[in-house]
Amino acid sequence: MIIVADNLRITLPSIQRAVEEMDPDPICGMVEDCVKAGAHSIDINSGPLSKGAEEKMTFLVNTVQSVCDLPLVLDTTNPDAMAAGLSTCRNRAIMNGVSLEKHKLEKMLPLAVEHKVDVIAYLLNADSHVPADAAGRMEVAVALFDLLQQAGIPSDRIIIDPVVAPLVWQDGNRQNMDVMEVIRTLPDLLGEKVKTIAGLSNLTSGAPDAEKRHRYQAAFLPMLAAAGLDIVLMNAMDPAIMRLAATCGTLVEESIFSWV
Amino acid sequence: MIIVADNLRITLPSIQRAVEEMDPDPICGMVEDCVKAGAHSIDINSGPLSKGAEEKMTFLVNTVQSVCDLPLVLDTTNPDAMAAGLSTCRNRAIMNGVSLEKHKLEKMLPLAVEHKVDVIAYLLNADSHVPADAAGRMEVAVALFDLLQQAGIPSDRIIIDPVVAPLVWQDGNRQNMDVMEVIRTLPDLLGEKVKTIAGLSNLTSGAPDAEKRHRYQAAFLPMLAAAGLDIVLMNAMDPAIMRLAATCGTLVEESIFSWV
């Protein structure tokens, strides 16, 4: 399983301040820690970046790629920031992301085509809501997969995100069973192996403490791995979860087993 | 998920000595610990009991039911010991188990019919080998399920054990993917919901240390839970695994979620 660190996010006060002051040090420190922890990729979660979006995303991407050559996931809903980030990125870039929402298809998708990058496709309805059941998620997956290919994104650059539901949602646990079914079923449904990604931290949004956050994530991650998940977006600074991800890999990948 | 403690086993020197000396105390202590830890059932793993089999199994069952009223899983390959245990057991009893092996069908199955107990059915070929792939396991499941019902065991008293493979087996990890597929597919295959059980400790037979044993079990248990496993036979004295089993239950069962 490929691990994308979700640690670099503008909602952290230290990162927000660093971006405001164009101070690379806290960002570099965070990225270096994630790399040391074993992350395979870094998600740059800049948020919408309402003011000075292009300059800030350019600064973020340049800062991150000054200390690591891992693939970078550009995670912003702001098309101007995305365009600036993609233009700046020398590392392999992944756009996070598009969906059936009109503004994503109009503003984001053309950027993915233009920059020939991998693109994360969220299984949301056009009205921005999560589909009601597994069948709904699959319909959206088929529609989005076709649409992206027609737009010029080859299938091996599409990464499906079935959208992990926070447990605190009314039917969050049932929805997450759908999420696993979708991951398992996608290759048959789409007629080819297509990469999948899931945001593990979503599961525990609103968790009252770190122990519960860790415990529920540790129970859910192996379930996702067994369903066939390729890429997990998660906290790379939780050593127990990082070890668990590696252990899950040993269980689900067809490699020669040895006790590691 | 229902938890059957696998802690009471004659391979433990303290338990072996207790059985030899007909000393109930170490057995009672072990069972009370498992009950306190939250086990829902106790597996009495007496081994084949070559000498004084009936007397020893009678002693074991009486000792265990003197301190708990949980369902007891009688786990011996010796038909005389099984017969004595089933005759003695006042608690709900589960026979562990039968398979397509000739001696099991001839000697064990009639006891399950006679005593009207639940019976664990192992997915082994008649030659005692594990089927080569998921399709093989499913063929055996269908054959065994039909055979047990024809013999007079109603379907709701059949518990399928797809046989967890030790990781150290040459293709253990691949086989365990088959195990999960079988658990997931059985209801469709058999045309009704049938209970399943898996022995978690099997996975880590031969693990070099407790950390590895715990870590691999902790990664595999949620995978089994997500596949729909009903009953897990496991170490009830590992508090972290017990907490994990409860957390998995919260994720996969359709209950109202709350942070526990």
Side-chain angles (χ1 to χ4, degrees), chain B residues 4 8 41-47 57-58 60-62 64-65 70-98 104 108 111 115 117-120 122 233:
Chain B
V4 182
L8 185 65
S41 171
I42 308 289
D43 184 81
I44 302 181
N45 187 338
S46 72
M57 185 54 110
T58 301
L60 268 165
V61 169
N62 271 329
V64 175
Q65 66 191 358
L70 297 177
L72 304 183
V73 179
L74 304 193
D75 191 354
T76 178
T77 52
N78 181 328
D80 296 332
M82 184 63 78
L86 291 174
S87 300
T88 308
C89 195
R90 294 184 308 270
N91 295 12
R92 179 165 175 186
I94 298 114
M95 172 185 286
N96 192 7
V98 302
K104 300 276 182 175
M108 288 287 189
L111 295 173
H115 291 273
V117 292
D118 294 6
V119 58
I120 294 175
Y122 290 93
L233 179 69

Side-chain angles (χ1 to χ4, degrees), chain A residues 1 162 164 176 179-180 183 196 198-200 217 219-232 252, chain B residues 222-223 226:
Chain A
M1 217 158 27
V164 168
N176 287 329
V179 163
M180 285 186 268
I183 293 171
T196 49
L200 187 61
Q217 291 186 15
F220 192 49
L221 179 58
M223 298 183 183
L224 291 170
L229 186 72
D230 301 292
I231 310 170
V232 59
V252 303
Chain B
M223 297 182 182

